[in-house]
Amino acid sequence: MVYIGPTLFGFILGFILGTRIKSDKDSKIKFPISTYLVVLLVALFMAWQLGPFPYYTDSIIASGFFATIIGIIAGKVILGR
């Protein structure tokens, strides 16, 4: 059985947080695509280490945590300031 609730809530929460990340135009810090790839790989590893929510057997990772990271990146890329 697939539980969509934690995944959907995590993505929505992450998307909202991602839209609130501000970029300072005076800052010399740039985030190339490789940075996003590293963040996704580390998040996937962390989600695997956390494991699924209690009593959920739909996957071997914490799907809500991973969806939140994807939502943060999507919010930053799509509607980031």
Side-chain angles (χ1 to χ4, degrees), residues 3 24-25 32 41 45 50:
Y3 297 98
D24 188 10
K25 293 187 186 342
L41 289 174
F45 179 73
L50 285 171

Side-chain angles (χ1 to χ4, degrees), residues 11-49:
F11 182 79
I12 292 171
L13 181 66
F15 191 83
I16 292 169
L17 289 173
T19 60
R20 305 307 302 165
I21 297 174
K22 297 179 183 178
S23 297
D24 188 10
K25 293 187 186 342
D26 297 332
S27 176
K28 304 237 187 234
I29 298 173
K30 303 293 180 204
F31 291 105
I33 195 72
S34 60
T35 304
Y36 293 110
L37 181 63
V38 169
V39 168
L40 280 176
L41 289 174
V42 170
L44 183 61
F45 179 73
M46 287 177 62
W48 175 64
Q49 289 295 316

Side-chain angles (χ1 to χ4, degrees), residues 1-3 57-59:
M1 175 168 267
V2 176
Y3 297 98
T57 58
D58 58 340
S59 68

Side-chain angles (χ1 to χ4, degrees), residues 57-76:
T57 58
D58 58 340
S59 68
I60 60 170
I61 66 169
S63 56
F65 176 78
F66 192 64
T68 303
I69 299 298
I70 292 174
I72 288 173
I73 292 173
K76 173 64 180 152

